[in-house]
Amino acid sequence: KMLGLLPFQCCVHISSLLILLGQDGFEQMCKLSPENVKGNIRIKFVNEQGLDEAGIDQDGVFKEFLEEIIKLVFDPNFALFKCVEQGDKVYPSSNSFVHARHLELFEFVGRLLAKAVYEGIMIEVPFASFFLTQLLGRTHSFAYSSFDELSSMDAELYRRLSELKRYDGDVEDDFCLTFAVDEDQMGTIVTHDLKPGGRMTNVTDVNRISYIHLMSNFKLCTQIHKQTSAFCRGFRCIIHPDWLVMFSSPELQRLISGDNKPLDVSDLKKYVVYYGGFSGAHSVIRWLWDIVEKDFDSREKGLFLKVKHL
């Protein structure tokens, strides 16, 4: 029995996810049960004239649907995700509230990413290490330290807090810090207490370790708790957390995006399954492998590997 065999409508040229929100693609995907999402999903593209595009979805159209949505939602300009301070790795943005249905969007994107992982579809999105740790559910481990993870979000803040930790002088007089942090919410500065009465509590030699951990926890967890929870909820309804316990954060990233190691064509050929009367001895197949081995560069071999069915 083919589960989730439903026609979804979405615009092939999406300029804003708000357009998608008015289409059946978003609404129907949200209504599908986890078991249906794991099944076959057929996508129907509608052109700019509102007409169905010709063609049959044989996985390729669904991949295009995924790639179009992923490209949009992980673009920092869309404000659903943002990049780390020094690099291109992404994590949920605390300013995602600019989208009225932002938490629904995070759950939707979590489902899409999990569907891609479930189907073995590579998604070229580099995630911040601390966010992958949260996706793996490791933040409640006795060995977890938000301070140790902070460098994967903001290396400069991690450096400053490390300096505070090792400082030999008078912390209270020299740093003039309180247990509070200011956040820029779309041009409006909002002050958050790191603990009750935090803005009235000075950071001293005695309590600075507590301040360091509270600040790190706020940046990595508290500030984006709702966004992260919604994303994880969508992801884990497709990929059960028990399936992920064997992976580390770097391994999970490779599971999502693949590896940068050179493609071993000889090894790949051993596991290819041919259809339609073709075999490894067919002249067309021999020409194909000859081109891949001798003419394709590393990037082209990587693109070739993304094609699941030839």
Side-chain angles (χ1 to χ4, degrees), residues 45-61:
F45 281 97
V46 178
N47 62 25
E48 294 177 349
Q49 286 72 43
L51 302 175
D52 293 349
E53 292 191 350
I56 300 175
D57 185 359
Q58 295 292 345
D59 292 335
V61 178

Side-chain angles (χ1 to χ4, degrees), residues 70-86:
I70 294 299
K71 186 193 318 182
L72 175 67
V73 297
F74 288 108
D75 183 345
N77 293 323
F78 189 66
L80 207 61
F81 289 81
K82 66 183 297 184
C83 290
V84 298
E85 292 298 323
Q86 296 84 22

Side-chain angles (χ1 to χ4, degrees), residues 73 75 78-82 91-93 96 99 102 105-106 109:
V73 297
D75 183 345
F78 189 66
L80 207 61
F81 289 81
K82 66 183 297 184
Y91 65 94
S93 170
S96 63
H99 302 287
H102 68 126
L105 290 180
F106 275 110
V109 175

Side-chain angles (χ1 to χ4, degrees), residues 37 47 134 174 195 219:
V37 174
N47 62 25
Q134 294 179 10
D174 295 345
K195 67 177 185 178
K219 288 291 186 178

Side-chain angles (χ1 to χ4, degrees), residues 1-6 8 29 32-43 57 59 62-63 66 111-112 114-116 118-121 237-239 243 308:
K1 183 178 179 181
M2 306 301 287
L3 299 176
L5 200 59
L6 300 174
F8 289 87
M29 276 288 286
L32 283 178
S33 69
E35 287 304 315
N36 280 4
V37 174
K38 293 175 185 177
N40 289 347
I41 299 177
R42 289 184 179 173
I43 302 295
D57 185 359
D59 292 335
F62 182 71
K63 289 181 182 179
L66 272 178
R111 277 190 164 208
L112 282 184
K115 172 66 172 177
Y118 188 82
E119 296 291 346
I121 300 173
C237 79
I238 308 300
I239 306 294
W243 297 355
K308 189 175 182 181

Side-chain angles (χ1 to χ4, degrees), residues 36-216:
N36 280 4
V37 174
K38 293 175 185 177
N40 289 347
I41 299 177
R42 289 184 179 173
I43 302 295
K44 182 185 293 183
F45 281 97
V46 178
N47 62 25
E48 294 177 349
Q49 286 72 43
L51 302 175
D52 293 349
E53 292 191 350
I56 300 175
D57 185 359
Q58 295 292 345
D59 292 335
V61 178
F62 182 71
K63 289 181 182 179
E64 185 179 354
F65 170 77
L66 272 178
E67 289 173 353
E68 288 292 327
I69 300 303
I70 294 299
K71 186 193 318 182
L72 175 67
V73 297
F74 288 108
D75 183 345
N77 293 323
F78 189 66
L80 207 61
F81 289 81
K82 66 183 297 184
C83 290
V84 298
E85 292 298 323
Q86 296 84 22
D88 60 351
K89 296 185 177 182
V90 300
Y91 65 94
S93 170
S94 59
N95 286 327
S96 63
F97 60 83
V98 296
H99 302 287
R101 302 173 66 179
H102 68 126
L103 296 182
E104 291 178 73
L105 290 180
F106 275 110
E107 186 168 352
F108 173 67
V109 175
R111 277 190 164 208
L112 282 184
L113 184 66
K115 172 66 172 177
V117 172
Y118 188 82
E119 296 291 346
I121 300 173
M122 298 294 101
I123 301 297
E124 297 180 15
V125 177
F127 288 102
S129 176
F130 81 89
F131 180 63
L132 291 172
T133 300
Q134 294 179 10
L135 191 55
L136 288 169
R138 304 275 169 79
T139 56
H140 300 297
S141 166
F142 71 92
Y144 176 78
S145 168
S146 54
F147 176 62
D148 292 340
E149 293 271 8
L150 182 62
S151 60
S152 69
M153 172 197 265
D154 191 335
E156 176 59 23
L157 177 59
Y158 177 79
R159 185 194 64 78
R160 296 203 307 268
L161 291 179
S162 297
E163 179 183 337
L164 173 65
K165 182 180 179 180
R166 298 188 299 267
Y167 192 66
D168 292 331
D170 190 315
V171 168
E172 184 172 9
D173 288 343
D174 295 345
F175 283 84
C176 301
L177 296 171
T178 63
F179 278 77
V181 57
D182 291 336
E183 179 186 11
D184 185 350
Q185 294 186 350
M186 306 302 290
T188 301
I189 302 300
V190 178
T191 300
H192 301 276
D193 286 330
L194 298 178
K195 67 177 185 178
R199 70 194 70 187
M200 304 299 295
T201 304
N202 293 333
V203 178
T204 66
D205 296 347
V206 175
N207 63 23
R208 58 178 161 181
I209 299 300
S210 175
Y211 170 81
I212 288 170
H213 286 286
L214 287 173
M215 175 65 80
S216 301

